[in-house]
PDB file of all heavy atoms in Angstrom:
ATOM      1  N   LEU S   1      88.178  95.828  96.746  1.00 88.00           N
ATOM      2  CA  LEU S   1      87.426  97.022  97.239  1.00 88.00           C
ATOM      3  C   LEU S   1      85.837  96.819  97.077  1.00 88.00           C
ATOM      4  O   LEU S   1      85.203  97.093  98.040  1.00 88.00           O
ATOM      5  CB  LEU S   1      87.970  98.283  96.611  1.00 88.00           C
ATOM      6  CG  LEU S   1      89.354  98.690  97.075  1.00 88.00           C
ATOM      7  CD1 LEU S   1      89.761 100.069  96.453  1.00 88.00           C
ATOM      8  CD2 LEU S   1      89.433  98.807  98.599  1.00 88.00           C
ATOM      9  N   PRO S   2      85.417  96.455  95.950  1.00 89.00           N
ATOM     10  CA  PRO S   2      83.956  96.235  95.849  1.00 89.00           C
ATOM     11  C   PRO S   2      83.417  95.233  96.769  1.00 89.00           C
ATOM     12  O   PRO S   2      82.286  95.468  97.437  1.00 89.00           O
ATOM     13  CB  PRO S   2      83.758  95.686  94.373  1.00 89.00           C
ATOM     14  CG  PRO S   2      84.944  96.263  93.643  1.00 89.00           C
ATOM     15  CD  PRO S   2      86.123  96.168  94.562  1.00 89.00           C
ATOM     16  N   SER S   3      84.102  94.131  97.127  1.00 87.00           N
ATOM     17  CA  SER S   3      83.678  93.056  98.069  1.00 87.00           C
ATOM     18  C   SER S   3      83.661  93.674  99.427  1.00 87.00           C
ATOM     19  O   SER S   3      82.801  93.486 100.220  1.00 87.00           O
ATOM     20  CB  SER S   3      84.595  91.884  98.020  1.00 87.00           C
ATOM     21  OG  SER S   3      84.505  91.281  96.758  1.00 87.00           O
ATOM     22  N   LEU S   4      84.682  94.537  99.707  1.00 86.00           N
ATOM     23  CA  LEU S   4      84.836  95.071 101.112  1.00 86.00           C
ATOM     24  C   LEU S   4      83.633  96.027 101.332  1.00 86.00           C
ATOM     25  O   LEU S   4      82.972  96.044 102.326  1.00 86.00           O
ATOM     26  CB  LEU S   4      86.164  95.844 101.234  1.00 86.00           C
ATOM     27  CG  LEU S   4      86.411  96.665 102.472  1.00 86.00           C
ATOM     28  CD1 LEU S   4      86.263  95.787 103.664  1.00 86.00           C
ATOM     29  CD2 LEU S   4      87.683  97.334 102.440  1.00 86.00           C
ATOM     30  N   VAL S   5      83.408  96.961 100.393  1.00 89.00           N
ATOM     31  CA  VAL S   5      82.273  97.850 100.538  1.00 89.00           C
ATOM     32  C   VAL S   5      80.927  97.106 100.749  1.00 89.00           C
ATOM     33  O   VAL S   5      80.138  97.481 101.540  1.00 89.00           O
ATOM     34  CB  VAL S   5      82.209  98.777  99.239  1.00 89.00           C
ATOM     35  CG1 VAL S   5      80.891  99.714  99.333  1.00 89.00           C
ATOM     36  CG2 VAL S   5      83.457  99.658  99.185  1.00 89.00           C
ATOM     37  N   ALA S   6      80.669  96.013  99.917  1.00 89.00           N
ATOM     38  CA  ALA S   6      79.513  95.272 100.089  1.00 89.00           C
ATOM     39  C   ALA S   6      79.396  94.671 101.500  1.00 89.00           C
ATOM     40  O   ALA S   6      78.349  94.696 101.981  1.00 89.00           O
ATOM     41  CB  ALA S   6      79.418  94.106  99.009  1.00 89.00           C
ATOM     42  N   GLU S   7      80.478  94.128 102.016  1.00 83.00           N
ATOM     43  CA  GLU S   7      80.552  93.536 103.354  1.00 83.00           C
ATOM     44  C   GLU S   7      80.172  94.540 104.388  1.00 83.00           C
ATOM     45  O   GLU S   7      79.344  94.384 105.373  1.00 83.00           O
ATOM     46  CB  GLU S   7      81.930  92.948 103.634  1.00 83.00           C
ATOM     47  CG  GLU S   7      82.249  91.692 102.951  1.00 83.00           C
ATOM     48  CD  GLU S   7      81.841  90.462 103.755  1.00 83.00           C
ATOM     49  OE1 GLU S   7      81.461  90.586 104.917  1.00 83.00           O
ATOM     50  OE2 GLU S   7      81.879  89.392 103.134  1.00 83.00           O
ATOM     51  N   VAL S   8      80.712  95.763 104.319  1.00 85.00           N
ATOM     52  CA  VAL S   8      80.509  96.918 105.261  1.00 85.00           C
ATOM     53  C   VAL S   8      79.026  97.264 105.243  1.00 85.00           C
ATOM     54  O   VAL S   8      78.325  97.400 106.308  1.00 85.00           O
ATOM     55  CB  VAL S   8      81.410  98.097 105.000  1.00 85.00           C
ATOM     56  CG1 VAL S   8      81.039  99.244 105.998  1.00 85.00           C
ATOM     57  CG2 VAL S   8      82.905  97.706 105.209  1.00 85.00           C
ATOM     58  N   VAL S   9      78.489  97.566 104.058  1.00 88.00           N
ATOM     59  CA  VAL S   9      77.162  98.053 103.962  1.00 88.00           C
ATOM     60  C   VAL S   9      76.093  97.025 104.422  1.00 88.00           C
ATOM     61  O   VAL S   9      75.093  97.361 105.124  1.00 88.00           O
ATOM     62  CB  VAL S   9      76.894  98.339 102.391  1.00 88.00           C
ATOM     63  CG1 VAL S   9      75.358  98.635 102.223  1.00 88.00           C
ATOM     64  CG2 VAL S   9      77.619  99.618 102.016  1.00 88.00           C
ATOM     65  N   ALA S  10      76.443  95.769 104.205  1.00 86.00           N
ATOM     66  CA  ALA S  10      75.483  94.678 104.606  1.00 86.00           C
ATOM     67  C   ALA S  10      75.344  94.504 106.120  1.00 86.00           C
ATOM     68  O   ALA S  10      74.350  93.971 106.651  1.00 86.00           O
ATOM     69  CB  ALA S  10      76.032  93.282 103.972  1.00 86.00           C
ATOM     70  N   GLU S  11      76.227  95.041 106.856  1.00 82.00           N
ATOM     71  CA  GLU S  11      76.276  95.032 108.347  1.00 82.00           C
ATOM     72  C   GLU S  11      75.299  95.951 109.073  1.00 82.00           C
ATOM     73  O   GLU S  11      75.027  95.820 110.240  1.00 82.00           O
ATOM     74  CB  GLU S  11      77.687  95.215 108.952  1.00 82.00           C
ATOM     75  CG  GLU S  11      78.687  94.014 108.749  1.00 82.00           C
ATOM     76  CD  GLU S  11      78.156  92.800 109.450  1.00 82.00           C
ATOM     77  OE1 GLU S  11      77.852  92.849 110.666  1.00 82.00           O
ATOM     78  OE2 GLU S  11      77.960  91.760 108.737  1.00 82.00           O
ATOM     79  N   PHE S  12      74.738  96.869 108.216  1.00 84.00           N
ATOM     80  CA  PHE S  12      73.841  97.939 108.800  1.00 84.00           C
ATOM     81  C   PHE S  12      72.446  97.686 108.494  1.00 84.00           C
ATOM     82  O   PHE S  12      72.159  97.228 107.383  1.00 84.00           O
ATOM     83  CB  PHE S  12      74.364  99.304 108.368  1.00 84.00           C
ATOM     84  CG  PHE S  12      75.628  99.739 108.967  1.00 84.00           C
ATOM     85  CD1 PHE S  12      76.897  99.420 108.413  1.00 84.00           C
ATOM     86  CD2 PHE S  12      75.674 100.446 110.190  1.00 84.00           C
ATOM     87  CE1 PHE S  12      78.086  99.826 108.986  1.00 84.00           C
ATOM     88  CE2 PHE S  12      76.882 100.757 110.688  1.00 84.00           C
ATOM     89  CZ  PHE S  12      78.133 100.495 110.181  1.00 84.00           C
ATOM     90  N   PRO S  13      71.559  98.111 109.411  1.00 83.00           N
ATOM     91  CA  PRO S  13      70.095  97.952 109.183  1.00 83.00           C
ATOM     92  C   PRO S  13      69.623  98.683 107.884  1.00 83.00           C
ATOM     93  O   PRO S  13      68.720  98.273 107.275  1.00 83.00           O
ATOM     94  CB  PRO S  13      69.476  98.511 110.426  1.00 83.00           C
ATOM     95  CG  PRO S  13      70.490  98.377 111.400  1.00 83.00           C
ATOM     96  CD  PRO S  13      71.804  98.549 110.786  1.00 83.00           C
ATOM     97  N   ALA S  14      70.336  99.690 107.556  1.00 85.00           N
ATOM     98  CA  ALA S  14      69.852 100.521 106.409  1.00 85.00           C
ATOM     99  C   ALA S  14      70.258  99.919 105.117  1.00 85.00           C
ATOM    100  O   ALA S  14      70.144 100.561 104.025  1.00 85.00           O
ATOM    101  CB  ALA S  14      70.355 101.966 106.540  1.00 85.00           C
ATOM    102  N   ALA S  15      71.036  98.776 105.163  1.00 87.00           N
ATOM    103  CA  ALA S  15      71.537  98.204 103.881  1.00 87.00           C
ATOM    104  C   ALA S  15      70.643  98.025 102.756  1.00 87.00           C
ATOM    105  O   ALA S  15      70.820  98.310 101.504  1.00 87.00           O
ATOM    106  CB  ALA S  15      72.238  96.868 104.194  1.00 87.00           C
ATOM    107  N   SER S  16      69.371  97.695 103.071  1.00 88.00           N
ATOM    108  CA  SER S  16      68.373  97.452 102.029  1.00 88.00           C
ATOM    109  C   SER S  16      67.919  98.699 101.381  1.00 88.00           C
ATOM    110  O   SER S  16      67.400  98.755 100.269  1.00 88.00           O
ATOM    111  CB  SER S  16      67.160  96.800 102.715  1.00 88.00           C
ATOM    112  OG  SER S  16      66.587  97.564 103.721  1.00 88.00           O
ATOM    113  N   ARG S  17      68.159  99.844 102.008  1.00 90.00           N
ATOM    114  CA  ARG S  17      67.772 101.149 101.408  1.00 90.00           C
ATOM    115  C   ARG S  17      68.912 101.911 100.848  1.00 90.00           C
ATOM    116  O   ARG S  17      68.620 102.956 100.217  1.00 90.00           O
ATOM    117  CB  ARG S  17      67.137 102.076 102.541  1.00 90.00           C
ATOM    118  CG  ARG S  17      65.877 101.404 103.221  1.00 90.00           C
ATOM    119  CD  ARG S  17      65.269 102.313 104.251  1.00 90.00           C
ATOM    120  NE  ARG S  17      66.141 102.294 105.502  1.00 90.00           N
ATOM    121  CZ  ARG S  17      66.723 103.347 105.937  1.00 90.00           C
ATOM    122  NH1 ARG S  17      66.831 104.501 105.364  1.00 90.00           N
ATOM    123  NH2 ARG S  17      67.484 103.272 107.113  1.00 90.00           N
ATOM    124  N   VAL S  18      70.106 101.314 100.934  1.00 92.00           N
ATOM    125  CA  VAL S  18      71.226 102.065 100.336  1.00 92.00           C
ATOM    126  C   VAL S  18      71.822 101.293  99.018  1.00 92.00           C
ATOM    127  O   VAL S  18      72.079 100.144  99.055  1.00 92.00           O
ATOM    128  CB  VAL S  18      72.369 102.112 101.413  1.00 92.00           C
ATOM    129  CG1 VAL S  18      73.678 102.712 100.782  1.00 92.00           C
ATOM    130  CG2 VAL S  18      71.890 102.917 102.643  1.00 92.00           C
ATOM    131  N   ARG S  19      71.923 102.097  98.097  1.00 92.00           N
ATOM    132  CA  ARG S  19      72.479 101.563  96.736  1.00 92.00           C
ATOM    133  C   ARG S  19      74.004 101.917  96.690  1.00 92.00           C
ATOM    134  O   ARG S  19      74.378 102.981  97.152  1.00 92.00           O
ATOM    135  CB  ARG S  19      71.755 102.248  95.578  1.00 92.00           C
ATOM    136  CG  ARG S  19      72.246 101.816  94.263  1.00 92.00           C
ATOM    137  CD  ARG S  19      71.231 102.222  93.225  1.00 92.00           C
ATOM    138  NE  ARG S  19      71.165 103.674  93.146  1.00 92.00           N
ATOM    139  CZ  ARG S  19      72.013 104.480  92.423  1.00 92.00           C
ATOM    140  NH1 ARG S  19      72.944 103.968  91.703  1.00 92.00           N
ATOM    141  NH2 ARG S  19      71.823 105.918  92.520  1.00 92.00           N
ATOM    142  N   THR S  20      74.765 101.005  96.186  1.00 93.00           N
ATOM    143  CA  THR S  20      76.242 101.301  96.019  1.00 93.00           C
ATOM    144  C   THR S  20      76.611 101.560  94.561  1.00 93.00           C
ATOM    145  O   THR S  20      75.928 100.876  93.638  1.00 93.00           O
ATOM    146  CB  THR S  20      77.084 100.116  96.580  1.00 93.00           C
ATOM    147  OG1 THR S  20      76.683  98.935  95.838  1.00 93.00           O
ATOM    148  CG2 THR S  20      76.911  99.969  98.097  1.00 93.00           C
ATOM    149  N   GLN S  21      77.405 102.411  94.292  1.00 94.00           N
ATOM    150  CA  GLN S  21      77.929 102.720  93.009  1.00 94.00           C
ATOM    151  C   GLN S  21      79.438 102.752  92.973  1.00 94.00           C
ATOM    152  O   GLN S  21      80.108 103.521  93.579  1.00 94.00           O
ATOM    153  CB  GLN S  21      77.476 104.152  92.519  1.00 94.00           C
ATOM    154  CG  GLN S  21      77.873 104.538  91.130  1.00 94.00           C
ATOM    155  CD  GLN S  21      77.129 105.893  90.712  1.00 94.00           C
ATOM    156  OE1 GLN S  21      75.930 105.897  90.647  1.00 94.00           O
ATOM    157  NE2 GLN S  21      77.903 106.821  90.483  1.00 94.00           N
ATOM    158  N   ILE S  22      80.030 101.619  92.349  1.00 93.00           N
ATOM    159  CA  ILE S  22      81.429 101.306  92.421  1.00 93.00           C
ATOM    160  C   ILE S  22      82.077 101.308  91.086  1.00 93.00           C
ATOM    161  O   ILE S  22      81.602 100.581  90.187  1.00 93.00           O
ATOM    162  CB  ILE S  22      81.651 100.040  93.271  1.00 93.00           C
ATOM    163  CG1 ILE S  22      81.125 100.166  94.690  1.00 93.00           C
ATOM    164  CG2 ILE S  22      83.138  99.768  93.331  1.00 93.00           C
ATOM    165  CD1 ILE S  22      81.163  98.919  95.443  1.00 93.00           C
ATOM    166  N   GLU S  23      83.147 102.032  90.930  1.00 94.00           N
ATOM    167  CA  GLU S  23      83.836 102.006  89.594  1.00 94.00           C
ATOM    168  C   GLU S  23      85.405 101.891  90.053  1.00 94.00           C
ATOM    169  O   GLU S  23      85.952 102.946  90.493  1.00 94.00           O
ATOM    170  CB  GLU S  23      83.666 103.211  88.837  1.00 94.00           C
ATOM    171  CG  GLU S  23      82.115 103.417  88.271  1.00 94.00           C
ATOM    172  CD  GLU S  23      81.961 104.751  87.547  1.00 94.00           C
ATOM    173  OE1 GLU S  23      82.931 105.238  87.001  1.00 94.00           O
ATOM    174  OE2 GLU S  23      80.855 105.210  87.468  1.00 94.00           O
ATOM    175  N   VAL S  24      85.957 100.765  89.767  1.00 93.00           N
ATOM    176  CA  VAL S  24      87.363 100.529  90.238  1.00 93.00           C
ATOM    177  C   VAL S  24      88.044  99.943  89.060  1.00 93.00           C
ATOM    178  O   VAL S  24      87.669  98.934  88.482  1.00 93.00           O
ATOM    179  CB  VAL S  24      87.433  99.518  91.400  1.00 93.00           C
ATOM    180  CG1 VAL S  24      88.957  99.301  91.764  1.00 93.00           C
ATOM    181  CG2 VAL S  24      86.644 100.124  92.643  1.00 93.00           C
ATOM    182  N   GLU S  25      89.209 100.565  88.735  1.00 92.00           N
ATOM    183  CA  GLU S  25      90.063 100.101  87.614  1.00 92.00           C
ATOM    184  C   GLU S  25      90.867  98.829  88.157  1.00 92.00           C
ATOM    185  O   GLU S  25      90.998  98.669  89.338  1.00 92.00           O
ATOM    186  CB  GLU S  25      91.085 101.145  87.173  1.00 92.00           C
ATOM    187  CG  GLU S  25      90.440 102.303  86.438  1.00 92.00           C
ATOM    188  CD  GLU S  25      91.624 103.207  85.820  1.00 92.00           C
ATOM    189  OE1 GLU S  25      92.639 102.769  85.496  1.00 92.00           O
ATOM    190  OE2 GLU S  25      91.263 104.418  85.570  1.00 92.00           O
ATOM    191  N   ASP S  26      91.193  97.936  87.177  1.00 90.00           N
ATOM    192  CA  ASP S  26      91.895  96.722  87.493  1.00 90.00           C
ATOM    193  C   ASP S  26      93.396  97.032  87.705  1.00 90.00           C
ATOM    194  O   ASP S  26      94.185  96.861  86.823  1.00 90.00           O
ATOM    195  CB  ASP S  26      91.725  95.714  86.373  1.00 90.00           C
ATOM    196  CG  ASP S  26      92.231  94.363  86.751  1.00 90.00           C
ATOM    197  OD1 ASP S  26      92.633  94.154  87.958  1.00 90.00           O
ATOM    198  OD2 ASP S  26      92.142  93.424  85.903  1.00 90.00           O
ATOM    199  N   LEU S  27      93.730  97.418  89.002  1.00 89.00           N
ATOM    200  CA  LEU S  27      95.094  97.883  89.285  1.00 89.00           C
ATOM    201  C   LEU S  27      95.676  96.967  90.296  1.00 89.00           C
ATOM    202  O   LEU S  27      95.082  96.866  91.389  1.00 89.00           O
ATOM    203  CB  LEU S  27      95.123  99.349  89.759  1.00 89.00           C
ATOM    204  CG  LEU S  27      94.547 100.441  88.733  1.00 89.00           C
ATOM    205  CD1 LEU S  27      94.415 101.714  89.449  1.00 89.00           C
ATOM    206  CD2 LEU S  27      95.355 100.569  87.546  1.00 89.00           C
ATOM    207  N   PRO S  28      96.814  96.351  89.982  1.00 87.00           N
ATOM    208  CA  PRO S  28      97.521  95.474  91.033  1.00 87.00           C
ATOM    209  C   PRO S  28      97.964  96.426  92.233  1.00 87.00           C
ATOM    210  O   PRO S  28      98.480  97.537  91.925  1.00 87.00           O
ATOM    211  CB  PRO S  28      98.628  94.827  90.304  1.00 87.00           C
ATOM    212  CG  PRO S  28      98.942  95.734  89.139  1.00 87.00           C
ATOM    213  CD  PRO S  28      97.625  96.364  88.794  1.00 87.00           C
ATOM    214  N   PHE S  29      97.978  95.893  93.381  1.00 86.00           N
ATOM    215  CA  PHE S  29      98.424  96.638  94.611  1.00 86.00           C
ATOM    216  C   PHE S  29      99.037  95.751  95.478  1.00 86.00           C
ATOM    217  O   PHE S  29      98.731  94.660  95.780  1.00 86.00           O
ATOM    218  CB  PHE S  29      97.078  97.277  95.259  1.00 86.00           C
ATOM    219  CG  PHE S  29      97.294  98.629  95.917  1.00 86.00           C
ATOM    220  CD1 PHE S  29      97.460  99.773  95.100  1.00 86.00           C
ATOM    221  CD2 PHE S  29      97.488  98.759  97.286  1.00 86.00           C
ATOM    222  CE1 PHE S  29      97.670 101.006  95.708  1.00 86.00           C
ATOM    223  CE2 PHE S  29      97.634  99.947  97.878  1.00 86.00           C
ATOM    224  CZ  PHE S  29      97.758 101.100  97.070  1.00 86.00           C
TER     225      PHE S  29
END
């Protein structure tokens, strides 16, 4: 999920102005 969010955000012009805050537990899925 953290990599996915980073990829999505990076595709938009506003990426440089947006900060991400990600907290994900290490859970197998």
Side-chain angles (χ1 to χ4, degrees):
L1 293 181
S3 299
L4 175 59
V5 173
E7 287 268 349
V8 174
V9 170
E11 284 299 305
F12 288 88
S16 61
R17 296 182 284 114
V18 174
R19 181 170 59 91
T20 57
Q21 182 171 297
I22 299 174
E23 297 179 21
V24 180
E25 289 187 28
D26 189 5
L27 301 171
F29 212 75

